[in-house]
Amino acid sequence: MSRPTRWEQAGDDNGYYAETFAELLASGADVAGEARVADALLPRGARVLDAGSGMGRVAAELQSRGHDVVAVEPDGALVAASRAAYPGLEVVAADLLDVDAARLRALGRPEAFDLVVCVGNVLLLTADGTEQAFLDRVAALLAPGGRVLVGFHLQGAPEIARPYPLAAFREHVAAAGLVVEARFGSYDLRPPREEYAVWVLARAADGSA
């Protein structure tokens, strides 16, 4: 049996997330910052995997820009909310660790991706001790030349999240056969800062160390 994720352990305390983003969507607020960065990393009509897609806002925005998007989300309530908010977005209800090329092939979806999106503290909310396995799976799903967009809090993360020291993250990235192409402090590409980090990763064979 797989270990529960940090998100699952929080249970009903997670209700704020769907409510908050439902209110933002209804108000017309800009919730596409991550998607704009992702889109800038891609050619037109690219294959994108949104790992931990939540309410689906990033995946839906990228789909609206013409990309072939696979959204993967393990939380049933968020899957339902995502399908209600974005009826045209297909969501695979699964943990990323249970998604591989064979499963995607069986679903008639791409087996490798030009970009894997992993934003919104997803890496801080996986099951304890699975960061390496998560990054290994991300790397395995990259097409040649593919990249990864990752973002999470270094300070001030939600209470349900766990700390992920930079040294540990860099070690896991290297062990997954990935390299850092760029690091920023936000999704509007500010310089690196202590509170939040955004990385663009690539396979070691494709990127520059």
Side-chain angles (χ1 to χ4, degrees):
M1 179 181 297
S2 60
R3 286 172 285 179
T5 65
R6 282 290 183 111
W7 180 266
E8 290 172 318
Q9 291 178 43
D12 293 341
D13 290 343
N14 293 330
Y16 76 92
Y17 175 82
E19 294 170 4
T20 298
F21 278 106
E23 291 173 0
L24 287 172
L25 289 171
S27 71
D30 179 12
V31 294
E34 300 100 323
R36 284 193 292 272
V37 175
D39 185 53
L41 295 171
L42 292 166
R44 298 307 85 196
R47 300 159 296 174
V48 181
L49 175 71
D50 187 351
S53 55
M55 285 285 291
R57 60 190 176 85
V58 175
E61 178 66 23
L62 289 170
Q63 183 172 269
S64 75
R65 294 176 181 232
H67 300 297
D68 186 2
V69 182
V70 176
V72 175
E73 173 54 53
D75 184 275
L78 289 179
V79 170
S82 178
R83 289 170 175 166
Y86 306 104
L89 178 66
E90 180 182 353
V91 184
V92 178
D95 190 298
L96 184 71
L97 295 180
D98 297 323
V99 176
D100 57 15
R103 181 168 185 174
L104 291 165
R105 183 166 58 250
L107 293 171
R109 307 300 288 126
E111 300 172 34
F113 298 88
D114 302 300
L115 184 70
V116 175
V117 177
C118 180
V119 298
N121 289 316
V122 167
L123 268 171
L124 307 187
L125 299 172
T126 59
D128 289 345
T130 62
E131 299 95 335
Q132 184 67 72
F134 192 97
L135 287 168
D136 288 345
R137 181 55 50 89
V138 165
L141 290 170
L142 286 180
R147 294 189 283 185
V148 187
L149 179 65
V150 181
F152 59 83
H153 278 91
L154 302 174
Q155 299 176 13
E159 290 185 7
I160 61 174
R162 66 175 172 277
Y164 196 2
L166 276 177
F169 175 71
R170 293 191 183 105
E171 180 181 329
H172 295 152
V173 165
L178 300 170
V179 294
V180 175
E181 284 194 338
R183 177 186 166 187
F184 304 99
S186 64
Y187 291 102
D188 57 355
L189 307 185
R190 304 282 182 176
R193 57 195 178 102
E194 295 182 355
E195 295 79 15
Y196 199 87
V198 176
W199 286 272
V200 179
L201 310 177
R203 279 179 171 169
D206 300 327
S208 56

